[in-house]
Amino acid sequence: MKRLLSGIKPTGDLTLGNYIGAIRQFVEMQKKYESFVFVADLHALTIYNDPKELKKRIHDILAIYLASGLDPKKTTIFVQSENLYHANLSWVLECNSYMGELSRMTQFKDKSKGKNGEAISCGLFTYPVLMASDILIYDADVVPTGIDQKQHVELARNLATRFNNRYGETFKLPEPIIPEEGAKIYDLQNPTKKMSKSDETGKGVIMLLESAESARKKIMSAVTDSDNKVIYDPINKPGISNLLVIYTSLKNKTMKEAEEEFANSKYGEFKSKVADAVCEFLEDLQKKYREIVESGEIPRILDESNEKVEKICKKKVQEVFEKIGVGR
Ligand code: TYM
């Protein structure tokens, strides 16, 4: 069985973008892959987080994974920092990475610009290498993510190839898996910008744990255009196209089906249908989320996972250390 690995970092409250671009894929793909899905808490440290809030978000992501349908019998769910080997391998890979290639990472360029003299952590620069380590340590075959992480998975492939050429066959080359639709869900107020958990205003962002009522308001006031035709055209109609992607993703419909359904609808009516779909989805997810939190089953799931992941990672790191010549 081929192996899947992916993760989410707890730097903000998870959004509908995280669900549609990532979690939905994990749930679907766990049927066919031996899956490893984790909370990338070490990745959150690239920026300052209030320690209490960070811990709360880690728990929230775990509960959201389970509430979304990740099945611990099929998917090994774990927290990155509870396994010391990821950071260990990351150092070795960092020593095999170049400043030039890390400077070309678009996420680094975006996140480091406009900081007005504010200090940028070295971690923000090297974090794609930690991500490569997360992936390569498991010999993952596939890495499902939204489009914004594709370049990082490609870096992981490059680092694996470089290491294999230098030291002999050690790492598998992972394939990024990007959904055809929903690879990038856009901000409802600014539909050319990614819907992001680190957005400051949150007006165009739907959070997975926010109330249905508040989500409905955001959808109803989403920016559209003056054309009044519900057609998928991301270049000329980014707002409507974004809402269509949200609708089709949550309702499991094709774009053609949705366009036919709304062929005679005005925008208000269309938005109201999208809002219904989002509210229904959020209410169902949040109900399951509460049940999972109350069940208290998360610690047991993590303990079982840790035993499994530690074995895999220890073996890989020992193999790497042997090949590079460190240790006695
Ligand atoms: P992160 O936490 O920013 O995002 C988690 C996942 O959600 C996807 N995503 C989106 N997809 C569609 N539309 C959006 N608006 C949207 N916003 C986020 C992301 O593409 C991602 O799949 N570095 C990673 C976490 C990570 C990781 C890994 C992922 C660490 N190690 C190893 C895969 C494999 C990150 O910051 O994702």
Side-chain angles (χ1 to χ4, degrees), residues 5-9 15 17-18 20-22 38 40 43 107 127 131 134-135 143-149 152 182-186 194-197:
L5 176 123
S6 200
I8 298 184
K9 67 175 186 293
T15 72
N18 295 126
I20 295 177
F38 68 107
H43 285 262
Q107 273 222 336
Y127 110 100
M131 177 161 163
D134 300 333
I135 298 169
V143 183
T145 66
I147 193 80
D148 60 336
Q149 297 298 321
H152 293 158
K184 190 168 181 179
I185 298 297
Y186 294 89
K194 184 181 87 165
M195 183 182 282
S196 165
K197 50 178 141 68

PDB file of all heavy atoms in Angstrom, residues 5-9 15 17-18 20-22 38 40 43 107 127 131 134-135 143-149 152 182-186 194-197, ligand 1:
ATOM      1  N   LEU A   5       1.304  11.310   3.325  1.00  0.00           N
ATOM      2  CA  LEU A   5       1.614  12.130   4.496  1.00  0.00           C
ATOM      3  C   LEU A   5       1.207  13.569   4.226  1.00  0.00           C
ATOM      4  O   LEU A   5       1.422  14.087   3.143  1.00  0.00           O
ATOM      5  CB  LEU A   5       3.117  12.097   4.817  1.00  0.00           C
ATOM      6  CG  LEU A   5       3.419  13.052   5.984  1.00  0.00           C
ATOM      7  CD1 LEU A   5       4.088  12.345   7.134  1.00  0.00           C
ATOM      8  CD2 LEU A   5       4.187  14.271   5.546  1.00  0.00           C
ATOM      9  N   SER A   6       0.594  14.196   5.240  1.00  0.00           N
ATOM     10  CA  SER A   6       0.347  15.634   5.140  1.00  0.00           C
ATOM     11  C   SER A   6       0.091  16.208   6.532  1.00  0.00           C
ATOM     12  O   SER A   6      -0.107  15.461   7.490  1.00  0.00           O
ATOM     13  CB  SER A   6      -0.840  15.926   4.209  1.00  0.00           C
ATOM     14  OG  SER A   6      -0.761  17.272   3.768  1.00  0.00           O
ATOM     15  N   GLY A   7       0.114  17.528   6.605  1.00  0.00           N
ATOM     16  CA  GLY A   7      -0.072  18.167   7.907  1.00  0.00           C
ATOM     17  C   GLY A   7      -0.568  19.590   7.777  1.00  0.00           C
ATOM     18  O   GLY A   7      -0.593  20.167   6.685  1.00  0.00           O
ATOM     19  N   ILE A   8      -0.974  20.134   8.917  1.00  0.00           N
ATOM     20  CA  ILE A   8      -1.461  21.520   8.980  1.00  0.00           C
ATOM     21  C   ILE A   8      -0.801  22.197  10.170  1.00  0.00           C
ATOM     22  O   ILE A   8      -0.674  21.593  11.239  1.00  0.00           O
ATOM     23  CB  ILE A   8      -3.002  21.541   9.131  1.00  0.00           C
ATOM     24  CG1 ILE A   8      -3.648  20.878   7.907  1.00  0.00           C
ATOM     25  CG2 ILE A   8      -3.516  22.959   9.336  1.00  0.00           C
ATOM     26  CD1 ILE A   8      -5.155  20.922   7.882  1.00  0.00           C
ATOM     27  N   LYS A   9      -0.405  23.448   9.981  1.00  0.00           N
ATOM     28  CA  LYS A   9       0.259  24.109  11.113  1.00  0.00           C
ATOM     29  C   LYS A   9      -0.733  24.966  11.916  1.00  0.00           C
ATOM     30  O   LYS A   9      -1.598  25.626  11.324  1.00  0.00           O
ATOM     31  CB  LYS A   9       1.479  24.904  10.666  1.00  0.00           C
ATOM     32  CG  LYS A   9       1.214  26.105   9.808  1.00  0.00           C
ATOM     33  CD  LYS A   9       2.555  26.828   9.579  1.00  0.00           C
ATOM     34  CE  LYS A   9       2.370  28.127   8.860  1.00  0.00           C
ATOM     35  NZ  LYS A   9       1.907  28.079   7.492  1.00  0.00           N
ATOM     36  N   THR A  15      -9.564  27.124   8.530  1.00  0.00           N
ATOM     37  CA  THR A  15     -10.554  27.753   7.659  1.00  0.00           C
ATOM     38  C   THR A  15     -11.174  26.731   6.704  1.00  0.00           C
ATOM     39  O   THR A  15     -10.677  25.608   6.565  1.00  0.00           O
ATOM     40  CB  THR A  15      -9.896  28.840   6.785  1.00  0.00           C
ATOM     41  OG1 THR A  15      -9.088  28.173   5.786  1.00  0.00           O
ATOM     42  CG2 THR A  15      -9.020  29.779   7.591  1.00  0.00           C
ATOM     43  N   GLY A  17     -10.836  26.930   3.682  1.00  0.00           N
ATOM     44  CA  GLY A  17      -9.764  26.664   2.714  1.00  0.00           C
ATOM     45  C   GLY A  17      -8.961  25.440   3.138  1.00  0.00           C
ATOM     46  O   GLY A  17      -8.661  24.577   2.314  1.00  0.00           O
ATOM     47  N   ASN A  18      -8.627  25.343   4.410  1.00  0.00           N
ATOM     48  CA  ASN A  18      -7.885  24.181   4.895  1.00  0.00           C
ATOM     49  C   ASN A  18      -8.697  22.895   4.688  1.00  0.00           C
ATOM     50  O   ASN A  18      -8.153  21.849   4.354  1.00  0.00           O
ATOM     51  CB  ASN A  18      -7.557  24.294   6.389  1.00  0.00           C
ATOM     52  CG  ASN A  18      -6.610  25.435   6.707  1.00  0.00           C
ATOM     53  OD1 ASN A  18      -6.902  26.280   7.545  1.00  0.00           O
ATOM     54  ND2 ASN A  18      -5.480  25.485   6.028  1.00  0.00           N
ATOM     55  N   ILE A  20     -11.271  22.372   2.421  1.00  0.00           N
ATOM     56  CA  ILE A  20     -11.499  22.021   1.006  1.00  0.00           C
ATOM     57  C   ILE A  20     -10.182  21.672   0.304  1.00  0.00           C
ATOM     58  O   ILE A  20     -10.094  20.711  -0.449  1.00  0.00           O
ATOM     59  CB  ILE A  20     -12.259  23.154   0.276  1.00  0.00           C
ATOM     60  CG1 ILE A  20     -13.669  23.277   0.883  1.00  0.00           C
ATOM     61  CG2 ILE A  20     -12.347  22.901  -1.228  1.00  0.00           C
ATOM     62  CD1 ILE A  20     -14.519  24.411   0.309  1.00  0.00           C
ATOM     63  N   GLY A  21      -9.120  22.448   0.598  1.00  0.00           N
ATOM     64  CA  GLY A  21      -7.848  22.203  -0.084  1.00  0.00           C
ATOM     65  C   GLY A  21      -7.099  20.997   0.467  1.00  0.00           C
ATOM     66  O   GLY A  21      -6.350  20.355  -0.263  1.00  0.00           O
ATOM     67  N   ALA A  22      -7.290  20.694   1.750  1.00  0.00           N
ATOM     68  CA  ALA A  22      -6.448  19.657   2.348  1.00  0.00           C
ATOM     69  C   ALA A  22      -7.253  18.538   3.035  1.00  0.00           C
ATOM     70  O   ALA A  22      -7.254  17.398   2.559  1.00  0.00           O
ATOM     71  CB  ALA A  22      -5.488  20.314   3.340  1.00  0.00           C
ATOM     72  N   PHE A  38      -0.661  14.847  10.387  1.00  0.00           N
ATOM     73  CA  PHE A  38      -0.182  15.362  11.673  1.00  0.00           C
ATOM     74  C   PHE A  38      -0.470  16.843  11.869  1.00  0.00           C
ATOM     75  O   PHE A  38      -0.869  17.544  10.942  1.00  0.00           O
ATOM     76  CB  PHE A  38       1.318  15.066  11.819  1.00  0.00           C
ATOM     77  CG  PHE A  38       2.199  15.845  10.874  1.00  0.00           C
ATOM     78  CD1 PHE A  38       2.977  16.889  11.350  1.00  0.00           C
ATOM     79  CD2 PHE A  38       2.271  15.543   9.532  1.00  0.00           C
ATOM     80  CE1 PHE A  38       3.804  17.617  10.498  1.00  0.00           C
ATOM     81  CE2 PHE A  38       3.085  16.262   8.667  1.00  0.00           C
ATOM     82  CZ  PHE A  38       3.851  17.293   9.152  1.00  0.00           C
ATOM     83  N   ALA A  40       1.382  20.165  12.510  1.00  0.00           N
ATOM     84  CA  ALA A  40       2.758  20.638  12.316  1.00  0.00           C
ATOM     85  C   ALA A  40       3.059  21.753  13.321  1.00  0.00           C
ATOM     86  O   ALA A  40       3.253  22.907  12.947  1.00  0.00           O
ATOM     87  CB  ALA A  40       2.927  21.108  10.872  1.00  0.00           C
ATOM     88  N   HIS A  43       6.212  23.868  13.082  1.00  0.00           N
ATOM     89  CA  HIS A  43       6.148  24.865  12.005  1.00  0.00           C
ATOM     90  C   HIS A  43       5.522  26.172  12.477  1.00  0.00           C
ATOM     91  O   HIS A  43       5.789  27.230  11.920  1.00  0.00           O
ATOM     92  CB  HIS A  43       5.344  24.333  10.822  1.00  0.00           C
ATOM     93  CG  HIS A  43       6.089  23.321  10.017  1.00  0.00           C
ATOM     94  ND1 HIS A  43       6.751  23.638   8.863  1.00  0.00           N
ATOM     95  CD2 HIS A  43       6.300  22.010  10.209  1.00  0.00           C
ATOM     96  CE1 HIS A  43       7.334  22.560   8.381  1.00  0.00           C
ATOM     97  NE2 HIS A  43       7.070  21.552   9.180  1.00  0.00           N
ATOM     98  N   GLN A 107       6.447  31.364  -0.653  1.00  0.00           N
ATOM     99  CA  GLN A 107       5.829  31.657   0.654  1.00  0.00           C
ATOM    100  C   GLN A 107       6.768  32.470   1.533  1.00  0.00           C
ATOM    101  O   GLN A 107       6.345  33.371   2.238  1.00  0.00           O
ATOM    102  CB  GLN A 107       5.466  30.349   1.369  1.00  0.00           C
ATOM    103  CG  GLN A 107       4.111  29.844   0.973  1.00  0.00           C
ATOM    104  CD  GLN A 107       3.316  29.329   2.170  1.00  0.00           C
ATOM    105  OE1 GLN A 107       3.880  28.937   3.192  1.00  0.00           O
ATOM    106  NE2 GLN A 107       2.014  29.310   2.038  1.00  0.00           N
ATOM    107  N   TYR A 127      11.999  26.777   7.111  1.00  0.00           N
ATOM    108  CA  TYR A 127      10.911  25.853   7.415  1.00  0.00           C
ATOM    109  C   TYR A 127      10.538  24.885   6.284  1.00  0.00           C
ATOM    110  O   TYR A 127      10.154  23.748   6.554  1.00  0.00           O
ATOM    111  CB  TYR A 127       9.711  26.592   8.037  1.00  0.00           C
ATOM    112  CG  TYR A 127       8.476  26.706   7.201  1.00  0.00           C
ATOM    113  CD1 TYR A 127       7.395  25.838   7.407  1.00  0.00           C
ATOM    114  CD2 TYR A 127       8.361  27.663   6.202  1.00  0.00           C
ATOM    115  CE1 TYR A 127       6.258  25.941   6.635  1.00  0.00           C
ATOM    116  CE2 TYR A 127       7.230  27.762   5.438  1.00  0.00           C
ATOM    117  CZ  TYR A 127       6.181  26.900   5.649  1.00  0.00           C
ATOM    118  OH  TYR A 127       5.064  26.994   4.880  1.00  0.00           O
ATOM    119  N   MET A 131       9.738  20.841   6.521  1.00  0.00           N
ATOM    120  CA  MET A 131       8.612  20.189   5.819  1.00  0.00           C
ATOM    121  C   MET A 131       9.129  19.017   4.969  1.00  0.00           C
ATOM    122  O   MET A 131       8.507  17.957   4.918  1.00  0.00           O
ATOM    123  CB  MET A 131       7.874  21.231   4.971  1.00  0.00           C
ATOM    124  CG  MET A 131       6.763  20.659   4.165  1.00  0.00           C
ATOM    125  SD  MET A 131       5.605  21.952   3.647  1.00  0.00           S
ATOM    126  CE  MET A 131       4.754  21.087   2.336  1.00  0.00           C
ATOM    127  N   ASP A 134       9.658  16.197   7.276  1.00  0.00           N
ATOM    128  CA  ASP A 134       8.375  15.561   7.643  1.00  0.00           C
ATOM    129  C   ASP A 134       7.967  14.522   6.603  1.00  0.00           C
ATOM    130  O   ASP A 134       7.416  13.472   6.931  1.00  0.00           O
ATOM    131  CB  ASP A 134       7.232  16.599   7.672  1.00  0.00           C
ATOM    132  CG  ASP A 134       7.435  17.722   8.661  1.00  0.00           C
ATOM    133  OD1 ASP A 134       8.139  17.509   9.672  1.00  0.00           O
ATOM    134  OD2 ASP A 134       6.885  18.829   8.424  1.00  0.00           O
ATOM    135  N   ILE A 135       8.218  14.867   5.358  1.00  0.00           N
ATOM    136  CA  ILE A 135       7.749  14.019   4.250  1.00  0.00           C
ATOM    137  C   ILE A 135       8.708  12.848   4.018  1.00  0.00           C
ATOM    138  O   ILE A 135       8.313  11.684   3.949  1.00  0.00           O
ATOM    139  CB  ILE A 135       7.641  14.859   2.951  1.00  0.00           C
ATOM    140  CG1 ILE A 135       6.622  15.985   3.138  1.00  0.00           C
ATOM    141  CG2 ILE A 135       7.292  13.991   1.760  1.00  0.00           C
ATOM    142  CD1 ILE A 135       6.621  17.046   2.023  1.00  0.00           C
ATOM    143  N   VAL A 143       1.703  13.455  -1.240  1.00  0.00           N
ATOM    144  CA  VAL A 143       1.486  14.526  -0.263  1.00  0.00           C
ATOM    145  C   VAL A 143       0.342  15.404  -0.768  1.00  0.00           C
ATOM    146  O   VAL A 143       0.543  16.262  -1.621  1.00  0.00           O
ATOM    147  CB  VAL A 143       2.774  15.370  -0.081  1.00  0.00           C
ATOM    148  CG1 VAL A 143       2.564  16.428   0.992  1.00  0.00           C
ATOM    149  CG2 VAL A 143       3.960  14.492   0.263  1.00  0.00           C
ATOM    150  N   PRO A 144      -0.879  15.171  -0.273  1.00  0.00           N
ATOM    151  CA  PRO A 144      -1.987  16.028  -0.703  1.00  0.00           C
ATOM    152  C   PRO A 144      -1.950  17.375   0.004  1.00  0.00           C
ATOM    153  O   PRO A 144      -1.864  17.432   1.237  1.00  0.00           O
ATOM    154  CB  PRO A 144      -3.242  15.234  -0.291  1.00  0.00           C
ATOM    155  CG  PRO A 144      -2.791  14.312   0.791  1.00  0.00           C
ATOM    156  CD  PRO A 144      -1.312  14.099   0.637  1.00  0.00           C
ATOM    157  N   THR A 145      -1.985  18.454  -0.778  1.00  0.00           N
ATOM    158  CA  THR A 145      -1.994  19.809  -0.196  1.00  0.00           C
ATOM    159  C   THR A 145      -2.707  20.750  -1.162  1.00  0.00           C
ATOM    160  O   THR A 145      -2.965  20.389  -2.307  1.00  0.00           O
ATOM    161  CB  THR A 145      -0.565  20.406  -0.028  1.00  0.00           C
ATOM    162  OG1 THR A 145      -0.014  20.612  -1.322  1.00  0.00           O
ATOM    163  CG2 THR A 145       0.353  19.565   0.802  1.00  0.00           C
ATOM    164  N   GLY A 146      -2.975  21.953  -0.688  1.00  0.00           N
ATOM    165  CA  GLY A 146      -3.445  23.009  -1.578  1.00  0.00           C
ATOM    166  C   GLY A 146      -2.284  23.469  -2.453  1.00  0.00           C
ATOM    167  O   GLY A 146      -1.125  23.076  -2.224  1.00  0.00           O
ATOM    168  N   ILE A 147      -2.581  24.315  -3.420  1.00  0.00           N
ATOM    169  CA  ILE A 147      -1.567  24.713  -4.408  1.00  0.00           C
ATOM    170  C   ILE A 147      -0.396  25.458  -3.751  1.00  0.00           C
ATOM    171  O   ILE A 147       0.753  25.365  -4.212  1.00  0.00           O
ATOM    172  CB  ILE A 147      -2.204  25.550  -5.548  1.00  0.00           C
ATOM    173  CG1 ILE A 147      -1.256  25.698  -6.735  1.00  0.00           C
ATOM    174  CG2 ILE A 147      -2.636  26.925  -5.092  1.00  0.00           C
ATOM    175  CD1 ILE A 147      -1.214  24.538  -7.636  1.00  0.00           C
ATOM    176  N   ASP A 148      -0.660  26.185  -2.650  1.00  0.00           N
ATOM    177  CA  ASP A 148       0.402  27.010  -2.052  1.00  0.00           C
ATOM    178  C   ASP A 148       1.561  26.182  -1.501  1.00  0.00           C
ATOM    179  O   ASP A 148       2.644  26.720  -1.283  1.00  0.00           O
ATOM    180  CB  ASP A 148      -0.184  27.912  -0.939  1.00  0.00           C
ATOM    181  CG  ASP A 148      -0.818  27.117   0.179  1.00  0.00           C
ATOM    182  OD1 ASP A 148      -1.231  25.971  -0.062  1.00  0.00           O
ATOM    183  OD2 ASP A 148      -0.881  27.629   1.309  1.00  0.00           O
ATOM    184  N   GLN A 149       1.350  24.885  -1.277  1.00  0.00           N
ATOM    185  CA  GLN A 149       2.428  24.062  -0.710  1.00  0.00           C
ATOM    186  C   GLN A 149       3.167  23.241  -1.777  1.00  0.00           C
ATOM    187  O   GLN A 149       4.097  22.499  -1.464  1.00  0.00           O
ATOM    188  CB  GLN A 149       1.869  23.108   0.364  1.00  0.00           C
ATOM    189  CG  GLN A 149       1.269  23.819   1.568  1.00  0.00           C
ATOM    190  CD  GLN A 149       2.297  24.659   2.314  1.00  0.00           C
ATOM    191  OE1 GLN A 149       3.452  24.255   2.468  1.00  0.00           O
ATOM    192  NE2 GLN A 149       1.897  25.831   2.770  1.00  0.00           N
ATOM    193  N   HIS A 152       6.892  23.622  -2.027  1.00  0.00           N
ATOM    194  CA  HIS A 152       7.627  23.006  -0.913  1.00  0.00           C
ATOM    195  C   HIS A 152       7.789  21.491  -1.117  1.00  0.00           C
ATOM    196  O   HIS A 152       8.817  20.923  -0.760  1.00  0.00           O
ATOM    197  CB  HIS A 152       6.906  23.273   0.414  1.00  0.00           C
ATOM    198  CG  HIS A 152       6.912  24.726   0.814  1.00  0.00           C
ATOM    199  ND1 HIS A 152       6.005  25.263   1.687  1.00  0.00           N
ATOM    200  CD2 HIS A 152       7.709  25.751   0.449  1.00  0.00           C
ATOM    201  CE1 HIS A 152       6.253  26.553   1.849  1.00  0.00           C
ATOM    202  NE2 HIS A 152       7.279  26.875   1.095  1.00  0.00           N
ATOM    203  N   GLY A 182     -10.596  23.620  -5.900  1.00  0.00           N
ATOM    204  CA  GLY A 182     -10.465  23.851  -4.460  1.00  0.00           C
ATOM    205  C   GLY A 182      -9.023  23.863  -4.000  1.00  0.00           C
ATOM    206  O   GLY A 182      -8.740  23.861  -2.816  1.00  0.00           O
ATOM    207  N   ALA A 183      -8.071  23.882  -4.965  1.00  0.00           N
ATOM    208  CA  ALA A 183      -6.655  23.932  -4.594  1.00  0.00           C
ATOM    209  C   ALA A 183      -6.323  25.262  -3.925  1.00  0.00           C
ATOM    210  O   ALA A 183      -5.343  25.389  -3.206  1.00  0.00           O
ATOM    211  CB  ALA A 183      -5.789  23.753  -5.830  1.00  0.00           C
ATOM    212  N   LYS A 184      -7.160  26.265  -4.201  1.00  0.00           N
ATOM    213  CA  LYS A 184      -6.986  27.553  -3.540  1.00  0.00           C
ATOM    214  C   LYS A 184      -8.357  28.190  -3.377  1.00  0.00           C
ATOM    215  O   LYS A 184      -8.974  28.591  -4.370  1.00  0.00           O
ATOM    216  CB  LYS A 184      -6.060  28.436  -4.379  1.00  0.00           C
ATOM    217  CG  LYS A 184      -5.617  29.687  -3.671  1.00  0.00           C
ATOM    218  CD  LYS A 184      -4.480  30.320  -4.464  1.00  0.00           C
ATOM    219  CE  LYS A 184      -3.961  31.573  -3.819  1.00  0.00           C
ATOM    220  NZ  LYS A 184      -2.865  32.161  -4.581  1.00  0.00           N
ATOM    221  N   ILE A 185      -8.818  28.239  -2.141  1.00  0.00           N
ATOM    222  CA  ILE A 185     -10.069  28.931  -1.842  1.00  0.00           C
ATOM    223  C   ILE A 185      -9.680  30.373  -1.513  1.00  0.00           C
ATOM    224  O   ILE A 185      -8.712  30.603  -0.783  1.00  0.00           O
ATOM    225  CB  ILE A 185     -10.782  28.249  -0.638  1.00  0.00           C
ATOM    226  CG1 ILE A 185     -11.135  26.792  -0.972  1.00  0.00           C
ATOM    227  CG2 ILE A 185     -12.017  29.039  -0.208  1.00  0.00           C
ATOM    228  CD1 ILE A 185     -12.115  26.602  -2.110  1.00  0.00           C
ATOM    229  N   TYR A 186     -10.437  31.305  -2.074  1.00  0.00           N
ATOM    230  CA  TYR A 186     -10.051  32.717  -1.946  1.00  0.00           C
ATOM    231  C   TYR A 186     -10.843  33.419  -0.849  1.00  0.00           C
ATOM    232  O   TYR A 186     -11.943  32.971  -0.461  1.00  0.00           O
ATOM    233  CB  TYR A 186     -10.259  33.418  -3.288  1.00  0.00           C
ATOM    234  CG  TYR A 186      -9.320  32.890  -4.349  1.00  0.00           C
ATOM    235  CD1 TYR A 186      -9.689  31.804  -5.137  1.00  0.00           C
ATOM    236  CD2 TYR A 186      -8.057  33.442  -4.519  1.00  0.00           C
ATOM    237  CE1 TYR A 186      -8.819  31.283  -6.090  1.00  0.00           C
ATOM    238  CE2 TYR A 186      -7.183  32.938  -5.468  1.00  0.00           C
ATOM    239  CZ  TYR A 186      -7.576  31.859  -6.249  1.00  0.00           C
ATOM    240  OH  TYR A 186      -6.709  31.340  -7.186  1.00  0.00           O
ATOM    241  N   LYS A 194      -5.625  34.443  -1.152  1.00  0.00           N
ATOM    242  CA  LYS A 194      -5.959  33.162  -0.509  1.00  0.00           C
ATOM    243  C   LYS A 194      -6.750  33.369   0.783  1.00  0.00           C
ATOM    244  O   LYS A 194      -6.431  34.278   1.553  1.00  0.00           O
ATOM    245  CB  LYS A 194      -4.637  32.430  -0.210  1.00  0.00           C
ATOM    246  CG  LYS A 194      -4.800  31.044   0.360  1.00  0.00           C
ATOM    247  CD  LYS A 194      -3.465  30.389   0.647  1.00  0.00           C
ATOM    248  CE  LYS A 194      -2.950  30.747   2.018  1.00  0.00           C
ATOM    249  NZ  LYS A 194      -1.852  29.888   2.500  1.00  0.00           N
ATOM    250  N   MET A 195      -7.761  32.542   1.021  1.00  0.00           N
ATOM    251  CA  MET A 195      -8.424  32.552   2.320  1.00  0.00           C
ATOM    252  C   MET A 195      -7.414  31.982   3.316  1.00  0.00           C
ATOM    253  O   MET A 195      -6.961  30.847   3.149  1.00  0.00           O
ATOM    254  CB  MET A 195      -9.690  31.684   2.285  1.00  0.00           C
ATOM    255  CG  MET A 195     -10.450  31.709   3.588  1.00  0.00           C
ATOM    256  SD  MET A 195     -11.925  30.665   3.614  1.00  0.00           S
ATOM    257  CE  MET A 195     -13.110  31.616   2.708  1.00  0.00           C
ATOM    258  N   SER A 196      -7.052  32.791   4.315  1.00  0.00           N
ATOM    259  CA  SER A 196      -5.927  32.378   5.148  1.00  0.00           C
ATOM    260  C   SER A 196      -6.252  32.474   6.631  1.00  0.00           C
ATOM    261  O   SER A 196      -6.895  33.429   7.072  1.00  0.00           O
ATOM    262  CB  SER A 196      -4.739  33.285   4.821  1.00  0.00           C
ATOM    263  OG  SER A 196      -3.751  33.158   5.803  1.00  0.00           O
ATOM    264  N   LYS A 197      -5.766  31.484   7.401  1.00  0.00           N
ATOM    265  CA  LYS A 197      -6.023  31.508   8.841  1.00  0.00           C
ATOM    266  C   LYS A 197      -5.260  32.628   9.534  1.00  0.00           C
ATOM    267  O   LYS A 197      -5.583  32.980  10.655  1.00  0.00           O
ATOM    268  CB  LYS A 197      -5.753  30.141   9.487  1.00  0.00           C
ATOM    269  CG  LYS A 197      -4.413  29.477   9.166  1.00  0.00           C
ATOM    270  CD  LYS A 197      -4.294  28.165   9.939  1.00  0.00           C
ATOM    271  CE  LYS A 197      -3.660  27.005   9.221  1.00  0.00           C
ATOM    272  NZ  LYS A 197      -2.247  27.101   8.924  1.00  0.00           N
TER     273      LYS A 197
HETATM  274  P1  TYM B   1      -0.881  25.305   6.195  1.00  0.00           P
HETATM  275  O1  TYM B   1      -1.063  25.023   7.637  1.00  0.00           O
HETATM  276  O2  TYM B   1      -0.670  26.710   5.775  1.00  0.00           O
HETATM  277  O3  TYM B   1      -2.125  24.770   5.394  1.00  0.00           O
HETATM  278  C1  TYM B   1      -2.586  23.450   5.589  1.00  0.00           C
HETATM  279  C2  TYM B   1      -3.161  22.894   4.301  1.00  0.00           C
HETATM  280  O4  TYM B   1      -4.292  23.667   3.883  1.00  0.00           O
HETATM  281  C3  TYM B   1      -4.099  24.111   2.532  1.00  0.00           C
HETATM  282  N1  TYM B   1      -4.710  25.434   2.403  1.00  0.00           N
HETATM  283  C4  TYM B   1      -5.583  25.767   1.452  1.00  0.00           C
HETATM  284  N2  TYM B   1      -6.090  25.075   0.434  1.00  0.00           N
HETATM  285  C5  TYM B   1      -6.987  25.700  -0.367  1.00  0.00           C
HETATM  286  N3  TYM B   1      -7.369  26.999  -0.179  1.00  0.00           N
HETATM  287  C6  TYM B   1      -6.886  27.722   0.834  1.00  0.00           C
HETATM  288  N4  TYM B   1      -7.279  28.969   1.014  1.00  0.00           N
HETATM  289  C7  TYM B   1      -5.944  27.119   1.714  1.00  0.00           C
HETATM  290  N5  TYM B   1      -5.274  27.545   2.807  1.00  0.00           N
HETATM  291  C8  TYM B   1      -4.515  26.508   3.207  1.00  0.00           C
HETATM  292  C9  TYM B   1      -2.587  24.160   2.358  1.00  0.00           C
HETATM  293  O5  TYM B   1      -2.215  24.108   1.005  1.00  0.00           O
HETATM  294  C10 TYM B   1      -2.152  22.940   3.143  1.00  0.00           C
HETATM  295  O6  TYM B   1      -2.314  21.776   2.378  1.00  0.00           O
HETATM  296  N6  TYM B   1       3.859  23.854   5.596  1.00  0.00           N
HETATM  297  C11 TYM B   1       2.475  23.402   5.658  1.00  0.00           C
HETATM  298  C12 TYM B   1       2.223  22.375   6.741  1.00  0.00           C
HETATM  299  C13 TYM B   1       3.143  21.217   6.647  1.00  0.00           C
HETATM  300  C14 TYM B   1       3.050  20.126   5.730  1.00  0.00           C
HETATM  301  C15 TYM B   1       4.142  19.280   6.037  1.00  0.00           C
HETATM  302  C16 TYM B   1       2.157  19.818   4.714  1.00  0.00           C
HETATM  303  C17 TYM B   1       4.225  20.998   7.415  1.00  0.00           C
HETATM  304  N7  TYM B   1       4.842  19.819   7.054  1.00  0.00           N
HETATM  305  C18 TYM B   1       4.355  18.106   5.294  1.00  0.00           C
HETATM  306  C19 TYM B   1       2.378  18.657   3.990  1.00  0.00           C
HETATM  307  C20 TYM B   1       3.473  17.813   4.286  1.00  0.00           C
HETATM  308  C21 TYM B   1       1.587  24.609   5.912  1.00  0.00           C
HETATM  309  O7  TYM B   1       2.033  25.613   6.375  1.00  0.00           O
HETATM  310  O8  TYM B   1       0.266  24.394   5.617  1.00  0.00           O
END
